[in-house]
Amino acid sequence: GGRTVDCVLLDLDMPESGFDVLLDLIPDPKQPSIAVVILTRLVYPTLCEIAKMHGAQDWLVKRTTSPEQLDAAVQRAVASVKSIR
């Protein structure tokens, strides 16, 4: 062990990376210890807002997200969580 993870990409389409995983990763949204970016094919503005209320840093829709945008979102998410910690 000993390796720390800076960012988790959650794909809500997968049963093993559903919403409950977000709640497990971030029990306290005011003090997130890890950056979570959601990458999904689902376009749900309401779910996006709820995810962000629960500590997700970003919500990206697969078909409209380039690799560069994904990279930028992950960098932003990690920086944001580090600034809170």
Side-chain angles (χ1 to χ4, degrees):
R3 239 190 329 178
T4 59
V5 175
D6 290 322
C7 186
V8 171
L9 276 179
L10 270 192
D11 177 351
L12 295 182
D13 301 353
M14 303 293 225
E16 64 277 6
S17 65
F19 221 86
D20 49 331
V21 178
L22 173 61
L23 303 179
D24 285 345
L25 288 168
I26 306 178
D28 178 4
K30 297 206 172 10
Q31 294 289 316
S33 57
I34 190 164
V36 175
V37 172
I38 292 171
L39 180 66
T40 178
R41 64 184 173 80
L42 307 169
V43 184
Y44 285 132
T46 312
L47 208 50
C48 169
E49 288 310 307
I50 295 170
K52 288 182 175 174
M53 276 172 19
H54 285 288
Q57 296 295 318
D58 214 340
W59 177 288
L60 303 171
V61 176
K62 283 180 181 174
R63 67 169 184 275
T64 58
T65 302
S66 70
E68 294 75 23
Q69 286 169 313
L70 177 58
D71 183 51
V74 167
Q75 306 278 356
R76 268 197 317 273
V78 170
S80 168
V81 167
K82 285 201 170 119
S83 72
I84 296 168
R85 268 200 296 230

